[in-house]
Amino acid sequence: TVTRPTPAMRRAMTEAEVGDDVYGEDPTVNALERRAAEIFGREAALFVPSGTMGNTIAVKLYTRHGQEVICEERSHVFNYELAMLAWFAGCIARPVRAEDGILRWEHIRPAIQPLSPHRAPTGLIVLENTHNMAGGAVTPPEVMREICLQAHERGLKVHLDGARIFHAATFLGVNAAQLCAGCDTVMFCLSKGLCAPVGSMLVGRREDMEQARLLRKRLGGGMRQAGVLAAAGLVALNEMTARL
């Protein structure tokens, strides 16, 4: 998060065409959302002020009150988002320890709870790649694929906290879309290593992003002439990811 806006970003912000994004009328925000969806091979994307908001929206999309969310015990959603799993989504975390920070199916499978009269059922699996508090651990594509495949066979969704997903993709020598192809939603940050001053993206299915837009408004994330911020995000996606 210590990267600073580049001269190209500052120029783009100054010259950005703007409109009211709450009404979907900011052309620069719309362009950023289209570009993010294109890069990740998804139907749609949503520009949000922060990664925490993006993660919170994704959890709420795929869970009901009283469910559990499986995550690694040092994960950001569990430790650094002010218990939004509980406060906004009405869920509890089921933290699972992975010694190297790379959550694998063998860790997740025993933690899955079916519907029962005694235990809260599992509602969602959240992965983190790179895993910040595990020293930036990178989850390989085959591990991600297995988790998504096994989860979907059991009717469970998978959200990826990919705040620094472009770092992981660069390290592995793959593109970001390949790395998280099986995940139902992906959140990534424009301000972490990519130099944008603020903002994150949530990508997924179009109908999910339509619901996500309503949740963003409930969280106070409805922005007006946000194109001045989105302009820097476009430079981040088009120019800065290759620099990593």
mmCIF file of all heavy atoms in Angstrom, residues 167-211:
data_model
loop_
_atom_site.group_PDB
_atom_site.id
_atom_site.type_symbol
_atom_site.label_atom_id
_atom_site.label_comp_id
_atom_site.label_asym_id
_atom_site.label_seq_id
_atom_site.Cartn_x
_atom_site.Cartn_y
_atom_site.Cartn_z
ATOM 1 N N HIS A 167 0.556 -10.131 -7.891
ATOM 2 C CA HIS A 167 1.853 -10.576 -7.370
ATOM 3 C C HIS A 167 1.962 -12.102 -7.456
ATOM 4 O O HIS A 167 2.994 -12.651 -7.855
ATOM 5 C CB HIS A 167 2.019 -10.138 -5.917
ATOM 6 C CG HIS A 167 2.142 -8.661 -5.731
ATOM 7 N ND1 HIS A 167 1.085 -7.801 -5.857
ATOM 8 C CD2 HIS A 167 3.215 -7.898 -5.420
ATOM 9 C CE1 HIS A 167 1.493 -6.562 -5.621
ATOM 10 N NE2 HIS A 167 2.783 -6.593 -5.366
ATOM 11 N N ALA A 168 0.883 -12.789 -7.058
ATOM 12 C CA ALA A 168 0.885 -14.256 -7.114
ATOM 13 C C ALA A 168 1.033 -14.739 -8.554
ATOM 14 O O ALA A 168 1.808 -15.667 -8.836
ATOM 15 C CB ALA A 168 -0.396 -14.807 -6.494
ATOM 16 N N ALA A 169 0.299 -14.121 -9.464
ATOM 17 C CA ALA A 169 0.353 -14.529 -10.865
ATOM 18 C C ALA A 169 1.746 -14.303 -11.446
ATOM 19 O O ALA A 169 2.268 -15.132 -12.204
ATOM 20 C CB ALA A 169 -0.695 -13.760 -11.665
ATOM 21 N N THR A 170 2.361 -13.185 -11.097
ATOM 22 C CA THR A 170 3.711 -12.888 -11.580
ATOM 23 C C THR A 170 4.715 -13.898 -11.047
ATOM 24 O O THR A 170 5.568 -14.410 -11.787
ATOM 25 C CB THR A 170 4.117 -11.463 -11.160
ATOM 26 O OG1 THR A 170 3.186 -10.530 -11.722
ATOM 27 C CG2 THR A 170 5.513 -11.121 -11.648
ATOM 28 N N PHE A 171 4.604 -14.207 -9.766
ATOM 29 C CA PHE A 171 5.509 -15.177 -9.145
ATOM 30 C C PHE A 171 5.404 -16.550 -9.813
ATOM 31 O O PHE A 171 6.404 -17.233 -10.040
ATOM 32 C CB PHE A 171 5.182 -15.292 -7.655
ATOM 33 C CG PHE A 171 5.983 -16.335 -6.927
ATOM 34 C CD1 PHE A 171 7.298 -16.101 -6.558
ATOM 35 C CD2 PHE A 171 5.428 -17.564 -6.611
ATOM 36 C CE1 PHE A 171 8.041 -17.063 -5.892
ATOM 37 C CE2 PHE A 171 6.162 -18.540 -5.941
ATOM 38 C CZ PHE A 171 7.468 -18.284 -5.587
ATOM 39 N N LEU A 172 4.178 -16.947 -10.156
ATOM 40 C CA LEU A 172 3.945 -18.268 -10.734
ATOM 41 C C LEU A 172 4.126 -18.296 -12.247
ATOM 42 O O LEU A 172 4.172 -19.373 -12.856
ATOM 43 C CB LEU A 172 2.527 -18.736 -10.393
ATOM 44 C CG LEU A 172 2.254 -19.033 -8.919
ATOM 45 C CD1 LEU A 172 0.758 -19.174 -8.676
ATOM 46 C CD2 LEU A 172 2.989 -20.286 -8.459
ATOM 47 N N GLY A 173 4.188 -17.128 -12.875
ATOM 48 C CA GLY A 173 4.337 -17.081 -14.320
ATOM 49 C C GLY A 173 3.069 -17.446 -15.072
ATOM 50 O O GLY A 173 3.122 -17.977 -16.188
ATOM 51 N N VAL A 174 1.911 -17.162 -14.477
ATOM 52 C CA VAL A 174 0.621 -17.393 -15.131
ATOM 53 C C VAL A 174 -0.149 -16.080 -15.114
ATOM 54 O O VAL A 174 0.214 -15.139 -14.411
ATOM 55 C CB VAL A 174 -0.193 -18.495 -14.417
ATOM 56 C CG1 VAL A 174 0.576 -19.801 -14.386
ATOM 57 C CG2 VAL A 174 -0.563 -18.078 -12.988
ATOM 58 N N ASN A 175 -1.243 -16.025 -15.887
ATOM 59 C CA ASN A 175 -2.051 -14.806 -15.795
ATOM 60 C C ASN A 175 -3.083 -14.954 -14.681
ATOM 61 O O ASN A 175 -3.403 -16.060 -14.242
ATOM 62 C CB ASN A 175 -2.687 -14.428 -17.133
ATOM 63 C CG ASN A 175 -3.715 -15.422 -17.615
ATOM 64 O OD1 ASN A 175 -4.610 -15.827 -16.874
ATOM 65 N ND2 ASN A 175 -3.622 -15.804 -18.881
ATOM 66 N N ALA A 176 -3.573 -13.825 -14.231
ATOM 67 C CA ALA A 176 -4.464 -13.813 -13.070
ATOM 68 C C ALA A 176 -5.741 -14.597 -13.322
ATOM 69 O O ALA A 176 -6.261 -15.259 -12.416
ATOM 70 C CB ALA A 176 -4.784 -12.377 -12.675
ATOM 71 N N ALA A 177 -6.259 -14.532 -14.544
ATOM 72 C CA ALA A 177 -7.495 -15.249 -14.865
ATOM 73 C C ALA A 177 -7.311 -16.753 -14.712
ATOM 74 O O ALA A 177 -8.192 -17.445 -14.194
ATOM 75 C CB ALA A 177 -7.945 -14.903 -16.283
ATOM 76 N N GLN A 178 -6.170 -17.285 -15.166
ATOM 77 C CA GLN A 178 -5.892 -18.717 -15.022
ATOM 78 C C GLN A 178 -5.801 -19.118 -13.559
ATOM 79 O O GLN A 178 -6.289 -20.175 -13.159
ATOM 80 C CB GLN A 178 -4.577 -19.068 -15.718
ATOM 81 C CG GLN A 178 -4.601 -18.992 -17.229
ATOM 82 C CD GLN A 178 -3.216 -19.230 -17.810
ATOM 83 O OE1 GLN A 178 -2.219 -18.694 -17.324
ATOM 84 N NE2 GLN A 178 -3.145 -20.032 -18.863
ATOM 85 N N LEU A 179 -5.178 -18.269 -12.771
ATOM 86 C CA LEU A 179 -4.912 -18.619 -11.383
ATOM 87 C C LEU A 179 -6.179 -18.766 -10.564
ATOM 88 O O LEU A 179 -6.243 -19.592 -9.661
ATOM 89 C CB LEU A 179 -3.997 -17.551 -10.772
ATOM 90 C CG LEU A 179 -3.527 -17.770 -9.338
ATOM 91 C CD1 LEU A 179 -2.877 -19.130 -9.156
ATOM 92 C CD2 LEU A 179 -2.564 -16.664 -8.930
ATOM 93 N N CYS A 180 -7.204 -17.981 -10.863
ATOM 94 C CA CYS A 180 -8.418 -18.005 -10.036
ATOM 95 C C CYS A 180 -9.664 -18.326 -10.849
ATOM 96 O O CYS A 180 -10.759 -17.901 -10.489
ATOM 97 C CB CYS A 180 -8.569 -16.694 -9.292
ATOM 98 S SG CYS A 180 -8.482 -15.232 -10.321
ATOM 99 N N ALA A 181 -9.488 -19.109 -11.902
ATOM 100 C CA ALA A 181 -10.598 -19.388 -12.818
ATOM 101 C C ALA A 181 -11.787 -20.050 -12.137
ATOM 102 O O ALA A 181 -12.940 -19.811 -12.504
ATOM 103 C CB ALA A 181 -10.108 -20.258 -13.977
ATOM 104 N N GLY A 182 -11.556 -20.896 -11.151
ATOM 105 C CA GLY A 182 -12.648 -21.631 -10.529
ATOM 106 C C GLY A 182 -13.385 -20.883 -9.440
ATOM 107 O O GLY A 182 -14.445 -21.338 -8.982
ATOM 108 N N CYS A 183 -12.852 -19.751 -8.996
ATOM 109 C CA CYS A 183 -13.471 -19.013 -7.894
ATOM 110 C C CYS A 183 -14.740 -18.305 -8.379
ATOM 111 O O CYS A 183 -14.800 -17.795 -9.491
ATOM 112 C CB CYS A 183 -12.492 -17.991 -7.330
ATOM 113 S SG CYS A 183 -10.992 -18.720 -6.646
ATOM 114 N N ASP A 184 -15.730 -18.259 -7.513
ATOM 115 C CA ASP A 184 -17.003 -17.636 -7.889
ATOM 116 C C ASP A 184 -16.904 -16.120 -7.915
ATOM 117 O O ASP A 184 -17.507 -15.465 -8.775
ATOM 118 C CB ASP A 184 -18.099 -18.092 -6.922
ATOM 119 C CG ASP A 184 -18.325 -19.587 -7.018
ATOM 120 O OD1 ASP A 184 -18.977 -20.029 -7.978
ATOM 121 O OD2 ASP A 184 -17.811 -20.329 -6.154
ATOM 122 N N THR A 185 -16.177 -15.553 -6.973
ATOM 123 C CA THR A 185 -15.888 -14.127 -6.968
ATOM 124 C C THR A 185 -14.421 -13.936 -6.611
ATOM 125 O O THR A 185 -13.829 -14.754 -5.890
ATOM 126 C CB THR A 185 -16.749 -13.345 -5.956
ATOM 127 O OG1 THR A 185 -16.759 -14.037 -4.697
ATOM 128 C CG2 THR A 185 -18.164 -13.165 -6.449
ATOM 129 N N VAL A 186 -13.855 -12.848 -7.109
ATOM 130 C CA VAL A 186 -12.480 -12.477 -6.792
ATOM 131 C C VAL A 186 -12.460 -10.995 -6.456
ATOM 132 O O VAL A 186 -13.022 -10.179 -7.186
ATOM 133 C CB VAL A 186 -11.519 -12.739 -7.977
ATOM 134 C CG1 VAL A 186 -10.084 -12.344 -7.597
ATOM 135 C CG2 VAL A 186 -11.580 -14.188 -8.424
ATOM 136 N N MET A 187 -11.824 -10.668 -5.340
ATOM 137 C CA MET A 187 -11.562 -9.273 -5.006
ATOM 138 C C MET A 187 -10.073 -9.027 -5.193
ATOM 139 O O MET A 187 -9.253 -9.837 -4.785
ATOM 140 C CB MET A 187 -11.964 -8.979 -3.553
ATOM 141 C CG MET A 187 -11.792 -7.506 -3.136
ATOM 142 S SD MET A 187 -10.090 -6.948 -2.816
ATOM 143 C CE MET A 187 -9.644 -7.939 -1.393
ATOM 144 N N PHE A 188 -9.723 -7.904 -5.830
ATOM 145 C CA PHE A 188 -8.313 -7.525 -5.896
ATOM 146 C C PHE A 188 -8.185 -6.022 -5.719
ATOM 147 O O PHE A 188 -9.127 -5.264 -5.980
ATOM 148 C CB PHE A 188 -7.661 -7.985 -7.203
ATOM 149 C CG PHE A 188 -8.182 -7.336 -8.445
ATOM 150 C CD1 PHE A 188 -7.602 -6.175 -8.948
ATOM 151 C CD2 PHE A 188 -9.271 -7.875 -9.127
ATOM 152 C CE1 PHE A 188 -8.082 -5.576 -10.098
ATOM 153 C CE2 PHE A 188 -9.751 -7.284 -10.288
ATOM 154 C CZ PHE A 188 -9.161 -6.125 -10.770
ATOM 155 N N CYS A 189 -7.016 -5.592 -5.259
ATOM 156 C CA CYS A 189 -6.784 -4.191 -4.934
ATOM 157 C C CYS A 189 -5.984 -3.500 -6.032
ATOM 158 O O CYS A 189 -5.054 -4.074 -6.598
ATOM 159 C CB CYS A 189 -6.041 -4.067 -3.608
ATOM 160 S SG CYS A 189 -6.983 -4.692 -2.193
ATOM 161 N N LEU A 190 -6.344 -2.263 -6.295
ATOM 162 C CA LEU A 190 -5.630 -1.436 -7.264
ATOM 163 C C LEU A 190 -4.517 -0.633 -6.610
ATOM 164 O O LEU A 190 -3.659 -0.086 -7.302
ATOM 165 C CB LEU A 190 -6.617 -0.486 -7.945
ATOM 166 C CG LEU A 190 -7.754 -1.160 -8.721
ATOM 167 C CD1 LEU A 190 -8.861 -0.161 -9.024
ATOM 168 C CD2 LEU A 190 -7.232 -1.797 -9.996
ATOM 169 N N SER A 191 -4.535 -0.584 -5.280
ATOM 170 C CA SER A 191 -3.601 0.265 -4.535
ATOM 171 C C SER A 191 -2.423 -0.508 -3.949
ATOM 172 O O SER A 191 -1.554 0.099 -3.326
ATOM 173 C CB SER A 191 -4.353 0.973 -3.399
ATOM 174 O OG SER A 191 -4.905 0.013 -2.515
ATOM 175 N N LYS A 192 -2.396 -1.826 -4.140
ATOM 176 C CA LYS A 192 -1.337 -2.640 -3.509
ATOM 177 C C LYS A 192 -0.343 -3.112 -4.565
ATOM 178 O O LYS A 192 -0.553 -4.097 -5.256
ATOM 179 C CB LYS A 192 -1.965 -3.816 -2.754
ATOM 180 C CG LYS A 192 -2.751 -3.317 -1.553
ATOM 181 C CD LYS A 192 -3.522 -4.396 -0.838
ATOM 182 C CE LYS A 192 -4.246 -3.775 0.367
ATOM 183 N NZ LYS A 192 -5.180 -4.716 0.998
ATOM 184 N N GLY A 193 0.734 -2.349 -4.696
ATOM 185 C CA GLY A 193 1.747 -2.658 -5.679
ATOM 186 C C GLY A 193 1.461 -2.104 -7.059
ATOM 187 O O GLY A 193 2.339 -2.106 -7.921
ATOM 188 N N LEU A 194 0.240 -1.611 -7.285
ATOM 189 C CA LEU A 194 -0.146 -1.131 -8.615
ATOM 190 C C LEU A 194 -0.246 0.387 -8.689
ATOM 191 O O LEU A 194 -0.600 0.933 -9.733
ATOM 192 C CB LEU A 194 -1.474 -1.765 -9.041
ATOM 193 C CG LEU A 194 -1.513 -3.292 -9.080
ATOM 194 C CD1 LEU A 194 -2.865 -3.775 -9.591
ATOM 195 C CD2 LEU A 194 -0.384 -3.863 -9.923
ATOM 196 N N CYS A 195 0.003 1.068 -7.563
ATOM 197 C CA CYS A 195 0.178 2.527 -7.523
ATOM 198 C C CYS A 195 -1.091 3.369 -7.521
ATOM 199 O O CYS A 195 -1.014 4.587 -7.342
ATOM 200 C CB CYS A 195 1.076 3.012 -8.664
ATOM 201 S SG CYS A 195 2.765 2.411 -8.528
ATOM 202 N N ALA A 196 -2.267 2.786 -7.731
ATOM 203 C CA ALA A 196 -3.486 3.594 -7.669
ATOM 204 C C ALA A 196 -3.671 4.119 -6.243
ATOM 205 O O ALA A 196 -3.316 3.442 -5.280
ATOM 206 C CB ALA A 196 -4.700 2.776 -8.096
ATOM 207 N N PRO A 197 -4.225 5.314 -6.082
ATOM 208 C CA PRO A 197 -4.334 5.891 -4.737
ATOM 209 C C PRO A 197 -5.381 5.223 -3.862
ATOM 210 O O PRO A 197 -5.271 5.241 -2.640
ATOM 211 C CB PRO A 197 -4.693 7.355 -5.000
ATOM 212 C CG PRO A 197 -5.357 7.332 -6.337
ATOM 213 C CD PRO A 197 -4.667 6.256 -7.122
ATOM 214 N N VAL A 198 -6.419 4.634 -4.480
ATOM 215 C CA VAL A 198 -7.500 4.044 -3.695
ATOM 216 C C VAL A 198 -8.320 3.133 -4.603
ATOM 217 O O VAL A 198 -8.360 3.329 -5.824
ATOM 218 C CB VAL A 198 -8.407 5.149 -3.087
ATOM 219 C CG1 VAL A 198 -9.100 5.939 -4.174
ATOM 220 C CG2 VAL A 198 -9.425 4.580 -2.118
ATOM 221 N N GLY A 199 -8.954 2.131 -4.013
ATOM 222 C CA GLY A 199 -9.932 1.347 -4.759
ATOM 223 C C GLY A 199 -9.585 -0.108 -4.945
ATOM 224 O O GLY A 199 -8.411 -0.481 -5.025
ATOM 225 N N SER A 200 -10.610 -0.926 -4.997
ATOM 226 C CA SER A 200 -10.499 -2.359 -5.250
ATOM 227 C C SER A 200 -11.615 -2.767 -6.198
ATOM 228 O O SER A 200 -12.561 -2.010 -6.429
ATOM 229 C CB SER A 200 -10.601 -3.152 -3.938
ATOM 230 O OG SER A 200 -9.507 -2.867 -3.087
ATOM 231 N N MET A 201 -11.502 -3.981 -6.719
ATOM 232 C CA MET A 201 -12.491 -4.498 -7.662
ATOM 233 C C MET A 201 -13.020 -5.839 -7.165
ATOM 234 O O MET A 201 -12.280 -6.639 -6.575
ATOM 235 C CB MET A 201 -11.872 -4.698 -9.048
ATOM 236 C CG MET A 201 -11.183 -3.503 -9.639
ATOM 237 S SD MET A 201 -12.252 -2.070 -9.917
ATOM 238 C CE MET A 201 -13.478 -2.753 -11.049
ATOM 239 N N LEU A 202 -14.289 -6.080 -7.444
ATOM 240 C CA LEU A 202 -14.902 -7.383 -7.226
ATOM 241 C C LEU A 202 -15.401 -7.861 -8.582
ATOM 242 O O LEU A 202 -16.109 -7.123 -9.275
ATOM 243 C CB LEU A 202 -16.069 -7.277 -6.236
ATOM 244 C CG LEU A 202 -16.738 -8.589 -5.824
ATOM 245 C CD1 LEU A 202 -15.791 -9.450 -5.000
ATOM 246 C CD2 LEU A 202 -18.017 -8.311 -5.031
ATOM 247 N N VAL A 203 -15.024 -9.072 -8.966
ATOM 248 C CA VAL A 203 -15.440 -9.602 -10.276
ATOM 249 C C VAL A 203 -16.197 -10.907 -10.085
ATOM 250 O O VAL A 203 -15.954 -11.657 -9.135
ATOM 251 C CB VAL A 203 -14.234 -9.814 -11.218
ATOM 252 C CG1 VAL A 203 -13.482 -8.519 -11.445
ATOM 253 C CG2 VAL A 203 -13.287 -10.891 -10.675
ATOM 254 N N GLY A 204 -17.134 -11.177 -11.005
ATOM 255 C CA GLY A 204 -17.919 -12.406 -10.924
ATOM 256 C C GLY A 204 -19.008 -12.429 -11.976
ATOM 257 O O GLY A 204 -18.926 -11.742 -12.998
ATOM 258 N N ARG A 205 -20.057 -13.203 -11.717
ATOM 259 C CA ARG A 205 -21.181 -13.288 -12.637
ATOM 260 C C ARG A 205 -21.959 -11.974 -12.634
ATOM 261 O O ARG A 205 -22.020 -11.279 -11.620
ATOM 262 C CB ARG A 205 -22.111 -14.431 -12.247
ATOM 263 C CG ARG A 205 -21.489 -15.823 -12.325
ATOM 264 C CD ARG A 205 -22.550 -16.880 -12.123
ATOM 265 N NE ARG A 205 -23.314 -16.642 -10.893
ATOM 266 C CZ ARG A 205 -24.500 -17.174 -10.625
ATOM 267 N NH1 ARG A 205 -25.079 -17.983 -11.500
ATOM 268 N NH2 ARG A 205 -25.117 -16.919 -9.486
ATOM 269 N N ARG A 206 -22.609 -11.671 -13.756
ATOM 270 C CA ARG A 206 -23.324 -10.402 -13.874
ATOM 271 C C ARG A 206 -24.419 -10.272 -12.816
ATOM 272 O O ARG A 206 -24.556 -9.227 -12.170
ATOM 273 C CB ARG A 206 -23.929 -10.273 -15.272
ATOM 274 C CG ARG A 206 -24.539 -8.896 -15.539
ATOM 275 C CD ARG A 206 -24.950 -8.745 -16.980
ATOM 276 N NE ARG A 206 -23.851 -9.030 -17.886
ATOM 277 C CZ ARG A 206 -22.858 -8.172 -18.164
ATOM 278 N NH1 ARG A 206 -22.840 -6.987 -17.583
ATOM 279 N NH2 ARG A 206 -21.903 -8.509 -19.009
ATOM 280 N N GLU A 207 -25.204 -11.337 -12.611
ATOM 281 C CA GLU A 207 -26.300 -11.238 -11.642
ATOM 282 C C GLU A 207 -25.766 -11.059 -10.224
ATOM 283 O O GLU A 207 -26.384 -10.373 -9.402
ATOM 284 C CB GLU A 207 -27.216 -12.458 -11.725
ATOM 285 C CG GLU A 207 -26.554 -13.782 -11.427
ATOM 286 C CD GLU A 207 -27.460 -14.951 -11.736
ATOM 287 O OE1 GLU A 207 -27.686 -15.233 -12.929
ATOM 288 O OE2 GLU A 207 -27.942 -15.574 -10.776
ATOM 289 N N ASP A 208 -24.605 -11.657 -9.934
ATOM 290 C CA ASP A 208 -24.003 -11.458 -8.615
ATOM 291 C C ASP A 208 -23.513 -10.026 -8.441
ATOM 292 O O ASP A 208 -23.651 -9.432 -7.364
ATOM 293 C CB ASP A 208 -22.849 -12.432 -8.408
ATOM 294 C CG ASP A 208 -23.311 -13.863 -8.195
ATOM 295 O OD1 ASP A 208 -24.494 -14.059 -7.841
ATOM 296 O OD2 ASP A 208 -22.500 -14.789 -8.389
ATOM 297 N N MET A 209 -22.932 -9.454 -9.488
ATOM 298 C CA MET A 209 -22.445 -8.072 -9.397
ATOM 299 C C MET A 209 -23.602 -7.085 -9.300
ATOM 300 O O MET A 209 -23.471 -6.017 -8.695
ATOM 301 C CB MET A 209 -21.551 -7.758 -10.583
ATOM 302 C CG MET A 209 -20.233 -8.528 -10.606
ATOM 303 S SD MET A 209 -19.232 -8.381 -9.092
ATOM 304 C CE MET A 209 -19.667 -9.921 -8.223
ATOM 305 N N GLU A 210 -24.741 -7.417 -9.868
ATOM 306 C CA GLU A 210 -25.919 -6.557 -9.706
ATOM 307 C C GLU A 210 -26.358 -6.526 -8.246
ATOM 308 O O GLU A 210 -26.711 -5.469 -7.711
ATOM 309 C CB GLU A 210 -27.050 -7.047 -10.604
ATOM 310 C CG GLU A 210 -26.790 -6.794 -12.087
ATOM 311 C CD GLU A 210 -27.795 -7.472 -12.996
ATOM 312 O OE1 GLU A 210 -28.654 -8.226 -12.479
ATOM 313 O OE2 GLU A 210 -27.729 -7.269 -14.222
ATOM 314 N N GLN A 211 -26.348 -7.687 -7.600
ATOM 315 C CA GLN A 211 -26.660 -7.732 -6.169
ATOM 316 C C GLN A 211 -25.560 -7.064 -5.354
ATOM 317 O O GLN A 211 -25.823 -6.387 -4.352
ATOM 318 C CB GLN A 211 -26.838 -9.184 -5.716
ATOM 319 C CG GLN A 211 -28.098 -9.840 -6.233
ATOM 320 C CD GLN A 211 -29.352 -9.128 -5.759
ATOM 321 O OE1 GLN A 211 -29.503 -8.831 -4.573
ATOM 322 N NE2 GLN A 211 -30.243 -8.834 -6.691
#
